[in-house]
Amino acid sequence: MNTKVTLEELKSQMPFNIGKPNDGFAQYFSGKSFLEPLSTEQVKIFNVTFESGCRNNWHIHHAK
């Protein structure tokens, strides 16, 4: 069974625009992510969308 969702299918399900490829932070993800600004006024607010199977490598939790 193929569980991957196409970008077009994802766009049709999202309440916000998906945005542009998040190339500036690509090093932190194992797949593609997209960044859409919702507000750039006093406080910057962005919507981040991840393609199916994308993993976040932002930080590591070391075992104790």
Side-chain angles (χ1 to χ4, degrees):
M1 183 169 120
N2 185 1
T3 59
K4 286 212 170 205
V5 177
T6 67
L7 185 57
E8 292 306 316
E9 290 172 324
L10 186 60
K11 284 181 181 179
S12 70
Q13 299 171 14
M14 299 297 297
F16 303 110
N17 291 330
I18 290 181
K20 296 180 182 177
N22 190 10
D23 296 333
F25 293 96
Q27 67 188 26
Y28 299 110
F29 303 103
S30 64
K32 292 182 183 176
S33 65
F34 303 87
L35 194 60
E36 174 69 14
L38 302 178
S39 173
T40 56
E41 296 299 317
Q42 294 174 324
V43 176
K44 294 181 181 183
I45 302 170
F46 293 85
N47 180 61
V48 181
T49 302
F50 304 96
E51 82 174 347
S52 181
C54 181
R55 297 291 180 256
N56 180 336
N57 299 316
W58 198 270
H59 63 276
I60 298 171
H61 293 270
H62 297 284
K64 293 184 180 186

